[in-house]
Amino acid sequence: MMKQYEEAKAACGEALLLFRMGDFYELFHQDAQDAAQLLGLTLTSRDKGENPVPMAGFPHHQLESYLGKLIRLGRRVAICEQVEDPKKAVGIVKREVTRVVSPGTVTDDSLLDPRESNYLLSVVRPSPARPPHDEFSLTHDPACQPVGMAWVDLSTGSFEAAMLTESRLPDELARIAPVEILLPDSVQIPKLLTQAVTTRRPDWTFSTKLAQERLTQQFGTQTLEGFGFTSNDQLAVRAAGAILEYLRDTQRTALHHIDRIVPYRTGCSLELDESSRRSLEIQRSLHDGQRDGTLLSVLDCTVTAMGSRLLSQWLASPLTNIAQIRDRLDAVESLVRNPSQADKLRRSLRETYDLQRLLARVATGRAMPRDLAFIGQTLQKLPELRQTLASLTAPLLRRLHAEIDLCSDVADDLRQSLADECPHTLQEGGVIRLGYDARLDELRELAAGGKRWIAEYQARQVRESGIPSLKVGYNKVFGYFIEITNAQRDRVPDHFIRRQTLKNAERYVTEELKEYEEKVLAADQQAKEREYELFTALRERIQSATRRMQHTASMLAQLDVFAGFADLARRRDYCRPEPLTEPTIEIADGRHPVLDLREADGTFVPNDTLMHLPDAVILLITGPNMAGKSTYIRQVALLTLMMQVGSFVPARSARIGVADRIFARVGAGDRLAHGQSTFMVEMTEAARILNGATAASLVILDEIGRGTSTYDGVSLAWAIVEYLHNQIGCRTLFATHYHELTDLEQSLHGVTNLNVLVKEWEETIAFLHKIAAGAADKSYGIHVARLAGVPRPVQLRAQEILQQLEESHARHAHYPAGGNEPADSLAPAGELRVDVGAADAPLLRPHLRTRPRVRRSSDLQLTLFAPYDHPLLDELRSLNVAALGPEAAVQLLRSWQQQLQQEREESRLR
Ligand code: ADP
């Protein structure tokens, strides 16, 4: 048997092998040690002699839960089953690896999140490097190298492939979020920023020849042109072939539900790079990578798993085509305006099941009777769904109406054949409805009648033998028997044949009883076989209609997303946004979708946004930390994204120019673990934005330049804004606490200063979260430190240092090159407070410039870390030492000392 084990183990590579032995799954050697640690199993040993073999195991009925744990830990698991009946086996029972399960090949319902797609992805690069004398290969930028990629969701059958450039790989991986990635053995891949498990596969499984073979086999076509692939898509096709080969290796079953492959073309949807996707917390929160607190969690008001998965896909690839956006908005509006129909649709949808995953189980031959019953129940809901849809007029809803195939033939078939209370599995019987098949009914009657016969037989034997306690019973080992207690042993008739002796009784059989037993058991067995036959035939009929039902399933998913959008829009009072071709943003009373829901009702402060060419393309938002800058700029990006997905938005009104890309650089990022410094990450992201943004993009930048010395930081931030303004001209929201940047408003037409209002009284401040025109007057850093609970002595000392700095800086101010400082800027800092708490401060009227610029106290925070020149140093620099006599020198030194002592005295008195 261990030889059998070794063979199975050799065939399944590094996967943990679960080896079925009787009622247990056992693991041996290193697998046993790993499993003991991962699953908390007890480690024992098989051969206690000289070479003990480590062993661990668990009862077979716990397979699902242990399998789930191992997969979640990113392990691959091979399952080796007994493939013949141990009773009938001659010698050792035959065993075979029946499937290999990995994160990307899970199909078990209990191991999948119903709301998430489960993608297995493969990546392939061009074949070995060109010879070095090839000039092209020497000069070619590796970032522009082509890459082929394909991804499949085995649990639904969706299969796509794409050609990309190397540089887009991380963004596409972030968009698709696969759980497992297949890579050729020989390829060196830089660390990919994904949570996915990497599976190495032999190079030949990525070859063109194999791909052609597998793909044509799978789809029954000679070429893939019919699916929209061309000769330029070689690498994509190779990646797809590698996936099919892997599935063939691991699944060992037909995969009829993968019946097409769709070419994915980059550039057809709104592009979001990996870090922008993270920063905006679209599907995963920055804090713990979960759904909570994300845009998805707000938007997902779907009532089916299919709708939920589709919404995730839409959020991963928002639209850029204005007509398509309008179509979706029309559908949502139609449902918002017809709440009773919308509610009715949602009620019906709630009663449907996950048709996509059910059909995938049918196609892989793993569907259980209950699965077919669920398909039947879902199909039965279609007529009423379609009828409700009939009265809605939006073009997309009309299309859904037309394309929902009722599949009434399949529905009728299922209704007629399956029992009402259909059991989960086949073992118990009772799957096929009574009256469906005459032969089955006959066998069932015989089996049931046989049982009745036993009761009658018992009564007859009691009568004839005169033993009232005589009983007819049944057990698995001896079959039917007659049991007579020892007290009545003398009265046992002669034709009873003794079978078994118990403590207080004897068990007998008779010829008549044996005959009947055979008949009954045979009928029972035949009924089960007949039922199995009927069930598999039914499953095959359902399978042949898979494609039609898959299409209907995708219509239901869309309907669910629209109805969810409409429900959210009504509940939260969202408005229909107007998508525009020009890069304008006009939002009245916009709210951040996540905070709006999270904060107590009515406490989120709505804000306006006004961006348009040529006056207000770049909004510079200043204000203290915690004022709401970052919330505001994210809000604008999220509303734009929501519109491009087809959702209404949390605002009173919104007109938004469709963006081709959204870039978001928010916060310092958390990639230190990946070996990059905060500043390096920040600058890499800035570089991506500056190289990738177009005039149609939307850029939000939060506190750029923070990770370096202050002068460096301001200069970089300054130059970045200038570049965005002069070279790209895209809509940009820039939140910063570098007040120096607000000077840009003067030199760059198109830059508008905004600030977040703060109310100050006595020693404390209140954040009003209201965006107003103009630059903030100070940064309130020390106030915020107080709110955060920094000890009082630190606050006081900071106050003292700030005052010193303000004073000396007011005397010797420096401005970044290009800052055309007005003459009044040297006014003493203390006189410059502006009451920003005034409720009637001018809101968002970019033409209203709050000039002249005044010197702000907060500018001086700059000098904390920057070299500061004392005036004496200038004197020293220009001093002609050679011409200075000893006495004059001593006098000069004394006067300098006095001056410094006096300065210190003055600052102490303050
Ligand atoms: P900043 O970027 O200026 O440091 P944030 O945008 O992070 O500030 O906002 C800080 C906190 O203020 C948020 O977590 C939120 O609780 C609150 N906040 C921000 N904007 C608003 C608003 N418009 N209405 C109500 N609360 C807000």
Side-chain angles (χ1 to χ4, degrees):
M1 198 207 56
M2 283 316 273
K3 193 164 155 271
Q4 209 180 37
Y5 171 84
E6 299 301 343
E7 278 170 17
K9 181 72 194 159
C12 66
E14 89 301 6
L16 285 175
L17 180 63
L18 301 182
F19 194 70
R20 181 72 180 258
M21 288 170 71
D23 283 343
F24 279 77
Y25 285 103
E26 302 288 1
L27 299 107
F28 299 102
H29 299 290
Q30 187 59 43
D31 283 2
Q33 287 170 352
D34 288 359
Q37 200 190 19
L38 298 171
L39 304 173
L41 301 175
T42 313
L43 195 62
T44 58
S45 57
R46 180 171 165 80
D47 187 351
K48 313 264 184 222
E50 257 176 40
N51 296 313
V53 175
M55 172 169 127
F58 53 82
H60 73 101
H61 57 86
Q62 291 177 352
L63 175 65
E64 214 167 67
S65 94
Y66 282 121
L67 190 58
K69 273 190 201 160
L70 290 170
I71 298 299
R72 274 190 288 278
L73 290 166
R75 299 298 297 248
R76 293 155 55 71
V77 182
I79 303 171
C80 183
E81 295 285 4
Q82 298 175 169
V83 291
E84 63 179 343
D85 187 343
K87 283 197 215 107
K88 295 182 191 152
V90 181
I92 293 174
V93 189
K94 222 171 125 200
R95 291 183 174 86
E96 265 173 26
V97 173
T98 51
R99 62 182 175 137
V100 182
V101 189
S102 58
T105 56
V106 172
T107 48
D108 314 52
D109 239 8
S110 56
L111 307 183
L112 288 167
D113 181 339
R115 298 176 307 171
E116 308 253 346
S117 301
N118 199 65
Y119 288 119
L120 165 71
L121 181 141
S122 75
V123 179
V124 65
R125 295 188 162 78
S127 300
R130 296 172 183 85
H133 61 262
D134 179 347
E135 216 174 283
F136 180 66
S137 74
L138 290 176
T139 53
H140 203 50
D141 178 0
C144 299
Q145 287 277 346
V147 177
M149 198 163 94
W151 56 103
V152 69
D153 183 347
L154 189 60
S155 72
T156 62
S158 91
F159 194 15
E160 293 177 69
M163 294 294 298
L164 322 162
T165 53
E166 183 78 43
S167 60
R168 281 206 56 82
L169 194 57
D171 299 341
E172 286 301 321
L173 289 178
R175 185 181 69 82
I176 299 164
V179 290
E180 182 176 356
I181 301 181
L182 307 181
L183 296 175
D185 269 336
S186 64
V187 166
Q188 285 285 323
I189 299 264
K191 201 165 162 33
L192 299 168
L193 279 173
T194 122
Q195 306 277 318
V197 172
T198 308
T199 302
R200 292 292 187 162
R201 297 281 296 160
D203 285 7
W204 60 266
T205 66
F206 291 81
S207 69
T208 310
K209 187 165 167 292
L210 184 87
Q212 289 297 348
E213 226 172 274
R214 290 286 165 270
L215 287 157
T216 46
Q217 245 169 25
Q218 181 72 28
F219 305 122
T221 53
Q222 287 294 311
T223 70
L224 293 179
E225 278 163 27
F227 295 111
F229 289 92
T230 69
S231 55
N232 297 330
D233 295 319
Q234 261 305 293
L235 288 171
V237 168
R238 281 169 57 189
I243 285 203
L244 287 180
E245 178 62 18
Y246 180 64
L247 292 180
R248 198 170 115 117
D249 248 17
T250 54
Q251 296 307 291
R252 298 162 199 226
T253 167
L255 302 165
H256 297 295
H257 63 312
I258 304 180
D259 61 359
R260 81 193 77 174
I261 176 160
V262 180
Y264 170 83
R265 304 281 174 219
T266 54
C268 295
S269 57
L270 180 134
E271 286 177 26
L272 279 152
D273 61 27
E274 183 265 333
S275 65
S276 305
R277 215 175 270 284
R278 272 186 320 123
S279 300
L280 288 174
E281 305 191 286
I282 298 172
Q283 312 210 9
R284 301 264 166 261
S285 72
L286 274 175
H287 150 71
D288 60 1
Q290 299 299 310
R291 257 185 173 230
D292 242 22
T294 61
L295 180 62
L296 175 63
S297 73
V298 173
L299 283 185
D300 192 356
C301 300
T302 57
V303 294
T304 72
M306 296 192 296
S308 190
R309 291 197 298 270
L310 181 67
L311 172 63
S312 289
Q313 288 160 23
W314 281 7
L315 268 178
S317 310
L319 301 172
T320 45
N321 179 308
I322 203 161
Q324 288 175 349
I325 297 173
R326 283 198 188 116
D327 268 355
R328 285 193 190 170
L329 291 170
D330 282 344
V332 178
E333 182 171 349
S334 184
L335 291 160
V336 169
R337 288 177 186 275
N338 294 282
S340 70
Q341 268 97 330
D343 287 345
K344 210 160 150 202
L345 285 172
R346 278 162 69 81
R347 271 199 302 279
S348 304
L349 283 169
R350 233 181 229 119
E351 287 170 35
T352 64
Y353 292 88
D354 192 340
L355 208 48
Q356 288 167 334
R357 286 198 171 157
L358 289 167
L359 290 171
R361 281 209 288 284
V362 172
T364 49
R366 294 197 181 119
M368 293 284 148
R370 180 77 55 82
D371 294 331
L372 297 197
F374 286 164
I375 293 177
Q377 287 169 33
T378 305
L379 296 182
Q380 280 170 34
K381 287 278 142 203
L382 296 180
E384 74 184 41
L385 270 163
R386 225 169 144 239
Q387 202 189 352
T388 319
L389 256 181
S391 59
L392 299 168
T393 52
L396 246 179
L397 297 181
R398 305 276 345 122
R399 220 193 82 208
L400 296 187
H401 177 262
E403 292 194 17
I404 289 181
D405 182 340
L406 296 182
C407 304
S408 1
D409 49 334
V410 187
D412 289 347
D413 196 357
L414 286 166
R415 191 170 39 236
Q416 283 156 13
S417 53
L418 289 179
D420 286 339
E421 296 294 321
C422 190
H424 183 59
T425 62
L426 265 173
Q427 269 97 12
E428 309 122 59
V431 168
I432 303 293
R433 183 186 287 279
L434 212 68
Y436 176 71
D437 179 69
R439 173 89 186 115
L440 175 64
D441 290 352
E442 198 180 297
L443 289 167
R444 277 177 173 162
E445 212 168 279
L446 194 61
K451 283 167 198 156
R452 206 177 316 131
W453 181 87
I454 295 289
E456 280 166 20
Y457 179 75
Q458 176 173 308
R460 179 148 54 93
Q461 296 307 315
V462 168
R463 224 172 31 245
E464 287 175 4
S465 65
I467 308 173
S469 60
L470 177 148
K471 276 199 180 63
V472 178
Y474 174 82
N475 79 21
K476 270 195 185 153
V477 185
F478 295 104
Y480 285 101
F481 54 79
I482 300 168
E483 191 173 296
I484 295 173
T485 56
N486 289 344
Q488 305 285 341
R489 204 186 312 183
D490 298 346
R491 300 164 78 175
V492 173
D494 291 342
H495 66 281
F496 278 26
I497 310 158
R498 215 179 61 224
R499 268 289 155 87
Q500 195 187 4
T501 304
L502 305 177
K503 200 166 154 217
N504 300 318
E506 297 275 345
R507 286 177 174 176
Y508 304 86
V509 289
T510 64
E511 284 304 325
E512 196 184 353
L513 190 59
K514 276 202 279 182
E515 262 172 45
Y516 264 91
E517 176 184 310
E518 271 161 30
K519 236 166 127 178
V520 167
L521 290 183
D524 210 45
Q525 186 55 34
Q526 282 168 14
K528 283 199 173 121
E529 280 165 14
R530 178 72 186 151
E531 200 162 21
Y532 181 72
E533 234 173 73
L534 292 169
F535 174 74
T536 43
L538 175 66
R539 194 160 65 185
E540 272 162 30
R541 288 200 300 280
I542 306 292
Q543 193 196 304
S544 65
T546 305
R547 191 155 197 170
R548 280 188 304 152
M549 287 189 279
Q550 285 284 19
H551 188 68
T552 293
S554 75
M555 299 296 120
L556 296 187
Q558 287 184 44
L559 189 56
D560 190 19
V561 176
F562 290 137
F565 281 167
D567 182 66
L568 176 67
R570 265 191 293 143
R571 271 190 295 112
R572 302 297 306 174
D573 202 14
Y574 286 7
C575 74
R576 177 185 171 138
E578 186 186 337
L580 308 170
T581 38
E582 58 276 16
T584 296
I585 296 186
E586 289 169 16
I587 298 171
D589 284 345
R591 291 168 277 148
H592 186 291
V594 179
L595 286 184
D596 177 42
L597 261 185
R598 198 190 285 159
E599 306 278 313
D601 255 4
T603 51
F604 188 85
V605 180
N607 273 305
D608 299 349
T609 309
L610 201 53
M611 300 181 85
H612 53 80
L613 286 172
D615 300 333
V617 189
I618 298 186
L619 303 184
L620 268 179
I621 301 114
T622 39
N625 283 328
M626 290 301 288
K629 302 184 294 298
S630 150
T631 305
Y632 178 69
I633 63 173
R634 280 162 185 249
Q635 168 181 316
V636 176
L638 290 176
L639 263 57
T640 307
L641 197 89
M642 284 170 84
M643 178 190 81
Q644 293 188 224
V645 170
S647 165
F648 279 23
V649 297
R652 193 156 45 77
S653 69
R655 301 176 75 234
I656 303 176
V658 172
D660 63 347
R661 292 164 198 193
I662 295 181
F663 291 96
R665 223 224 72 79
V666 177
D670 55 354
R671 265 195 270 162
L672 293 178
H674 294 280
Q676 285 177 301
S677 76
T678 311
F679 185 62
M680 185 63 192
V681 171
E682 209 180 296
M683 284 303 120
T684 311
E685 290 178 9
R688 274 152 86 68
I689 297 173
L690 299 178
N691 294 324
T694 73
S697 305
L698 174 64
V699 174
I700 69 168
L701 294 166
D702 197 1
E703 304 285 17
I704 201 108
R706 217 180 192 183
T708 184
S709 86
T710 321
Y711 279 160
D712 260 5
V714 180
S715 320
L716 276 165
W718 187 288
I720 286 172
V721 176
E722 274 182 356
Y723 188 86
L724 284 167
H725 179 272
N726 300 337
Q727 306 297 322
I728 304 177
C730 60
R731 289 162 293 173
T732 305
L733 289 109
F734 199 130
T736 183
H737 70 291
Y738 288 139
H739 296 266
E740 286 65 25
L741 294 184
T742 56
D743 286 350
L744 278 163
E745 191 187 53
Q746 291 207 315
S747 52
L748 300 179
H749 186 72
V751 172
T752 296
N753 285 330
L754 299 177
N755 73 96
V756 202
L757 298 184
V758 169
K759 199 172 178 74
E760 185 180 5
W761 76 93
E762 292 173 0
E763 282 198 331
T764 189
I765 51 169
F767 300 115
L768 302 182
H769 304 307
K770 197 75 192 164
I771 301 288
D777 72 321
K778 55 191 278 189
S779 77
Y780 299 96
I782 296 172
H783 294 76
V784 175
R786 179 175 305 129
L787 292 180
V790 169
R792 182 99 181 130
V794 177
Q795 293 169 28
L796 291 177
R797 178 68 186 134
Q799 194 74 47
E800 204 175 278
I801 296 170
L802 179 63
Q803 269 171 13
Q804 283 178 27
L805 289 169
E806 280 176 357
E807 280 237 346
S808 28
H809 200 93
R811 284 201 297 271
H812 316 285
H814 294 267
Y815 296 97
N820 40 353
E821 202 57 26
D824 65 346
S825 68
L826 291 181
E831 294 171 25
L832 302 174
R833 303 238 164 113
V834 177
D835 180 16
V836 288
D840 55 355
L843 292 183
L844 294 181
R845 264 165 288 146
H847 54 279
L848 267 186
R849 302 270 155 94
T850 53
R851 295 273 121 190
R853 186 189 186 281
V854 286
R855 182 88 212 117
R856 292 169 302 270
S857 54
S858 51
D859 288 349
L860 304 164
Q861 285 190 349
L862 259 182
T863 56
L864 264 178
F865 305 104
Y868 156 59
D869 266 9
H870 194 280
L872 287 185
L873 294 177
D874 265 350
E875 223 176 291
L876 188 58
R877 278 190 203 105
S878 55
L879 191 70
N880 185 354
V881 179
L884 198 69
E887 226 169 281
V890 169
Q891 208 165 2
L892 195 58
L893 270 177
R894 189 168 294 129
S895 81
W896 284 352
Q897 190 181 41
Q898 272 170 1
Q899 190 178 333
L900 289 172
Q901 277 168 348
Q902 195 180 340
E903 274 179 19
R904 173 178 291 177
E905 210 50 43
E906 280 172 7
S907 77
R908 274 213 189 109
L909 288 173
R910 267 198 304 267

